[in-house]
Structure formats: structure tokens, C-alpha cells
Amino acid sequence: MDFDGLTRRDALIGGAGLGLAACGEERFDPPPAREGPFKHGVAAGDPDQTSLVLWTAVTDPAEPVGYEIATDEAFSQIVYAGELGAAGPATNGATPMKAVVAGLEPGRTYFYRFRHAGDVSPAGRARTLPEGRVDEFRIAAFSCANYPAGFFNAYRDAAGRGDIDLVLHLGDYLYEYPMGGYATEDAERLSRVPDPKHEIVSYEDYARRHAQYCLDPDLQALKAAAAFAPVWDDHETANNAYRTGAENHQPDEGDWVERRDAALAAWRAWLPVRESDPMHARSPHLRIGELGTVLLLETRLTARSDEIDWTSFPVPADADPDDPEVRAAVRRWREDVIGDPDRTLLGEDQFARVAATLADSAARGEPWRIFANQVIMGRTDAPNYAEVTPFWLRWAMRMRGGQVWDYVLRSRFDVPITMDDWNGFPAERERLYAAARAAGADFITLTGDSHCHWCLDLHDEAGTRVGTEFGVTSVTSPSDYEMVAAPGVDFGAYIVERNPEVLHQNPYERGYLVLTLRREEAIAELISVSTIKARDFSSHVDTRWRVLPAGSGDVPQVERLD
């Protein structure tokens, strides 16, 4: 379906309505989930200055599905109307539908709804991106929403704020695992058994899983509250995905490229996103007027080098860490295997676009560049768990044996926490830092994947500061540290002590991040919800941080406010 072509056939209604003053940002109460033809909710996404992607799914559509866009919540000033086109085949009777609506005003809040056979959908709200001077812009960022692990209370909390301009989803919007797999132990008790129950591998499988997510009332509330701009990480296809495969893709599951493309086709059909060519590419950036640019990275499917796993570790896990030959072997492994300059996350074409966008942003005098990034960028080595943990915990981990104890033993050798993030691609990380430095373009990176709250002060290998990273904890997925029964042991404190770049790490809470951009500062709030195992919850700020743009004098460029 040519959504841009569809847009050109849409009808402008009441052109005078476009000249109205911008709406105030009053609280908008997203509608509750409901039955009927629009039971999968509504959404708008991938905004730019003059257009939005509208999305819904319609159960058993019997005639055309129309949309209306208004400048007020009561729809007394309808300024656009048109028809949606099918974005993909029907799944469980529901057909996903989209339209790209152009000709909108920059920085304007719009309300939208859909009509079909006498039924009217719930209303949604979305804002186009601003142009010119912008004094304040607020982003909410999320990652890692595993449906069977618990309720999406983080989505509900953000939806109720009423002050979000843009939602970034940093990946793992859904998970591919079967019932009985990762984080499904409470699924039956919470009535959140994944659909289908088996691991998803085909288009129909992925579409059914997307459709189930779209029935969630908290996700519906978030999508209806603000414009939605997602990037994928690995679980939208399969765990630890890379260009030619994935850790969780086996030969008996068919061809990897066919599975990848089926997953991406379902992702595009069931989300309010623009089409791209090739399918596994993503839009390069979002301009926030003169305030900044958001760069949407693709670090999984286009160019990522093959996975390095621990089978490549050059010495036995129980080798003597004080043996000079052992130390030399580990050092060569880090330099030659992990540090191979040909290893890439972005690929040459994307890297060139990112570097050019950084340079353009700095040349325009924008104070902020924001990476929507999937995996931790800063340098993070594992603490020596064989030394820092209390004796009783070391004993318990040794008794458990297997991969847990092997990892404890390997941590004695100054190894990365994981090689699936930018620590597995240090040469490309250094090239990215060099490009940012050459452009005079410091940056903030918002990062998913880790299921932890983070703040990192990023430096290149020479010790020059290049930016700030905020790790966005998961919506529901548990962190690895939660899976270790260790009451009173603060793994986050161990990581902070071991890594000079890490200013904060909390692996024990679920939630999201709110980043408020102003010309003179950026305020990051790492927000936690009290529970994901019940619908009644509260939220609180884990930590709050202030970032100053480059050239701010002697004031620290990132500082904790509370």
C-alpha cells in the first residue's frame, strides 16, 4: 500500500481551521480499552513538522475506514478527513490500517479518530514536531515490555501525565518467546499468557503477538496520549539478532532472512511507522525545531557483525588470573577479537548518515543531539564478583555452578559485562565518538535493553568527554541481577565502583525515563513503578539528572539533582 499516495487523495476540510492558535496542553485522559471494531486501539506516530502516521486496526471491516483530525478534543474544528489503507493482512479478524496525513502545522497538537460502519473509535492526541525556536520539549522513553512478565504500568503512568510531546520506544517492544519461556512464570496468574503460546517465527505468529499487545489497555493509553516513534532491538525478531542470524534462531526454524522480514512486516503493519526501503532500515532522525535532533539508530539487522560469545574466551574460566601468560592471552582477545576494527553495529552507510547529521545539527547551533539507541554505549566492565561479593553468595553461586559460576570466574579478568552491546564493538564506538568530537557535537544517548536504570558520563579512549548516557529500565522484563537471590547485595553499587563512567545503576526497578529538553539544560528523570504484578501501583523518581550542553563553562556537564 502506498500510504503517501493515499495521503495525496485525502480531503482538506475547513482550511480556515488550520489558522487557529495552538491548543493548550491540558491534561488528556486516554480512553479505556473497549470492545467493537476498534478494540485494538488507536495511534499516531513517526511525526515530522507537517505530517503524522495514523494507525488503527479494524475488526472485520465491511466498508472503508475513515479518519478525522481536529484541533480540539471535542472535534468541533475538524481540519482533515480521509480514508485509511490496509497495512497488512487480517490477524484474528483484525486488519491493521494506516495513513500518512500531510499538510499539518508544525508544533501543533491534533486530535484524531476513526469511523467505520457507524462506529466511532476512541480519540487520540499527537503533536507534530516544531520548527524554529523551541523553549521546551519533553520525551518519554521506554524499553523491554514482556507481556507475560507483568502489567504495563509504566505505560499507564506516562499516559496519565499529559505533558509528553514524543514517545520513544527503544526496542524489545515485544518478545518472541513461548509460554514456559523467559519471564512467563506469572503469566497464567496474571491472565497474560502469550498468543500464540509457541515461539513466534512466521508472519502470522508475529502479527498475532502484536495484536495481543495492542489489546493491552495501558499500551493503548500511551499510544493515544502522544506521538509514538519506536526503534527495534532484537526481540522484535529473535534474541541477540545480528545481520546474518540470531542466538535464538535455530536451523529448524527456517531461513533467517525470511523470519527477519516476516517479523519486520508485522512490526510495520501493527505500529504507526513510515515505510522504508530496505525494510530493515529506519528513519535517520527527527528534528525538534532549533532545539535538537533525535537520531533513530538501527543496530541489529542491517550491518551488525556476528555475535561473539563466551566460547571464544581464550583461557579456561578457572585459569590463574595472576599468570602473565593468561593475562596476555586475555588482553590479546580483547584487542584482536572484540577490538577488531572491522566489527560494526551501524555499517558504513548508516555511520556516514549519523556523522553527517551530527555535524549538521552542530552547524545549525542546536544544543542537543539525542540517540535513540538500543544497547549500552558506555564502557562497562564486570566487577570481580569473586572478590566483591560476600562469602555466602560466592559459595551459593559456586554450588549452582554452570554458566553462573563460569561468569563469576571470568569476571576476574577485566571482561565486559556483555559483548552484545557497544562493548563488543569498541572500535566503532571510538569512531562514533571521533565523529561527534570532530563536529563539536556532544550528545545524549537514551538506551534500552539492560532492564536497569543507568547514568553514564561518556569519554573516549583519550579521556575526552563526548556525551551522557541514560539507560532506560524495562517496562516489565526482569534484570539479570534480580534473578540472583542475594538480599542486601547491591549489584548496582558494584558496577558503579568498578566503572569510572558509570555514575548510577539500579537493576531492581521497572519503569521509564522522561527527558525534558530546554536550550540551557536537559533534565532526565528515571521513573520507577512500585509493582508490575498488580494494576494498582504508584510511581516515584529513582534519580533526577541535569545535563548542560557543551560550552557551558566550569559547571559539571552532568550532575545528579537528587
Side-chain angles (χ1 to χ4, degrees):
M1 176 64 65
D2 179 3
F3 298 113
D4 290 309
L6 182 65
T7 299
R8 288 191 290 271
R9 295 191 295 270
D10 296 339
L12 172 63
I13 298 178
L18 288 175
L20 296 174
C23 297
E25 294 303 310
E26 295 89 358
R27 180 183 176 90
F28 172 71
D29 292 321
R34 68 181 207 176
E35 290 301 312
F38 297 105
K39 65 183 180 181
H40 290 86
V42 302
D46 271 9
D48 62 19
Q49 276 66 26
T50 60
S51 66
L52 291 162
V53 179
L54 298 189
W55 178 95
T56 190
V58 181
T59 304
D60 299 323
E63 57 185 64
V65 178
Y67 68 79
E68 297 172 339
I69 296 180
T71 54
D72 66 313
E73 191 172 353
F75 286 84
S76 62
Q77 295 286 340
I78 296 176
V79 294
Y80 269 91
E83 291 184 2
L84 301 178
T91 298
N92 289 346
T95 301
M97 310 194 82
K98 288 186 192 178
V100 179
V101 182
L104 304 177
E105 286 189 334
R108 185 81 182 255
T109 297
Y110 291 95
F111 298 86
Y112 59 92
R113 65 188 180 189
F114 305 100
R115 291 184 177 272
H116 172 257
D119 285 293
V120 181
S121 76
R125 179 179 71 175
R127 189 181 184 193
T128 52
L129 295 180
E131 65 181 21
R133 182 178 175 87
V134 181
D135 293 323
E136 184 172 283
F137 191 87
R138 190 165 285 112
I139 296 169
F142 302 84
S143 73
C144 305
N146 192 333
Y147 184 87
F151 297 112
F152 294 161
N153 292 335
Y155 291 157
R156 173 64 61 175
D157 194 66
R161 291 175 57 105
D163 64 351
I164 301 301
D165 295 305
L166 177 69
V167 171
L168 292 178
H169 203 292
L170 304 172
D172 298 343
Y173 168 85
L174 53 65
Y175 283 71
E176 81 277 21
Y177 294 122
M179 181 61 188
Y182 172 66
T184 61
E185 58 271 12
D186 292 326
E188 291 184 346
R189 178 176 67 84
L190 299 177
S191 297
R192 295 179 74 82
V193 173
D195 178 39
K197 290 185 177 181
H198 58 262
E199 182 174 330
I200 53 178
V201 296
S202 67
Y203 175 85
E204 181 182 3
D205 290 344
Y206 283 101
R208 282 176 60 184
R209 191 67 57 88
H210 274 280
Q212 180 182 42
Y213 272 60
C214 287
L215 292 171
D216 183 87
D218 302 319
L219 179 54
Q220 287 190 13
L222 179 67
K223 288 179 177 176
F228 200 77
V231 295
W232 58 74
D233 189 22
D234 52 342
H235 291 291
E236 287 87 348
T237 49
N239 182 58
N240 285 14
Y242 47 94
R243 184 178 62 85
T244 59
E247 178 275 333
N248 193 30
H249 180 74
Q250 314 308 322
D252 62 358
E253 292 173 324
D255 179 74
W256 164 246
V257 172
E258 291 181 4
R259 180 179 184 178
R260 178 201 70 188
D261 288 352
L264 292 180
W267 186 89
R268 294 194 181 280
W270 284 86
L271 282 166
V273 295
R274 299 175 191 266
E275 303 304 298
S276 68
D277 184 20
M279 186 185 297
H280 50 275
R282 190 67 178 102
S283 301
H285 61 269
L286 307 172
R287 286 281 309 282
I288 310 171
E290 297 174 358
L291 187 61
T293 298
V294 178
L295 295 89
L296 305 180
L297 301 185
E298 198 296 289
T299 62
R300 282 288 175 189
L301 304 177
T302 301
R304 179 188 273 250
S305 301
D306 290 4
E307 180 183 29
I308 295 176
D309 61 29
W310 290 111
T311 60
S312 69
F313 196 62
V315 299
D318 60 355
D320 180 3
D322 296 323
D323 185 324
E325 292 185 3
V326 168
R327 283 287 181 186
V330 174
R331 185 175 63 254
R332 287 193 300 272
W333 174 74
R334 289 200 68 154
E335 292 173 352
D336 299 339
V337 178
I338 301 178
D340 182 347
D342 292 332
R343 288 184 54 73
T344 182
L345 280 173
L346 302 176
E348 291 184 6
D349 291 344
Q350 184 180 190
F351 187 95
R353 290 195 302 271
V354 167
T357 301
L358 291 173
D360 289 347
S361 172
R364 286 191 299 268
E366 296 174 359
W368 303 110
R369 287 142 296 277
I370 313 298
F371 287 135
N373 171 51
Q374 291 81 359
V375 291
I376 290 293
M377 185 175 288
R379 284 192 288 270
T380 55
D381 281 350
N384 183 346
Y385 292 116
E387 289 185 356
V388 299
T389 52
F391 172 79
W392 62 267
L393 179 57
R394 292 199 299 274
W395 179 85
M397 290 189 291
R398 184 170 185 172
M399 290 301 99
R400 184 171 178 178
Q403 293 181 348
V404 170
W405 185 240
D406 282 348
Y407 186 79
V408 170
L409 293 176
R410 282 194 297 267
S411 73
R412 301 173 302 155
F413 296 97
D414 300 323
V415 296
I417 291 176
T418 175
M419 293 173 290
D420 187 57
D421 62 17
W422 284 81
N423 287 291
F425 304 82
E428 178 146 288
R429 176 174 58 195
E430 197 64 17
R431 290 193 294 269
L432 179 63
Y433 288 177
R437 238 184 14 254
D442 61 328
F443 57 85
I444 294 174
T445 180
L446 304 181
T447 299
D449 182 66
S450 71
H451 311 171
C452 304
H453 287 307
W454 295 80
C455 178
L456 296 95
D457 196 22
L458 303 178
H459 294 74
D460 63 17
E461 290 180 350
T464 302
R465 187 179 189 279
V466 294
T468 305
E469 179 168 27
F470 294 106
V472 179
T473 194
S474 61
V475 173
T476 59
S477 297
S479 76
D480 292 339
Y481 305 96
E482 288 180 274
M483 299 179 184
V484 179
V489 175
D490 189 343
F491 285 103
Y494 293 153
I495 290 172
V496 171
E497 184 176 358
R498 172 66 183 83
N499 295 282
E501 291 191 355
V502 181
L503 306 181
H504 176 70
Q505 203 254 20
N506 181 345
Y508 302 107
E509 297 186 349
R510 314 280 67 79
Y512 63 108
L513 174 142
V514 172
L515 180 68
T516 302
L517 299 175
R518 304 184 182 105
R519 297 198 66 80
E520 71 281 1
E521 65 178 4
I523 303 296
E525 296 174 294
L526 308 181
I527 298 172
S528 300
V529 295
S530 58
T531 183
I532 59 169
K533 301 300 184 181
R535 290 202 177 274
D536 291 332
F537 71 96
S538 60
S539 63
H540 67 275
V541 176
D542 168 72
T543 50
R544 191 166 177 262
W545 301 82
R546 182 176 187 236
V547 184
L548 299 178
S552 298
D554 296 330
V555 181
Q557 291 184 296
V558 57
E559 59 181 345
R560 181 168 174 171
L561 298 180
D562 56 19

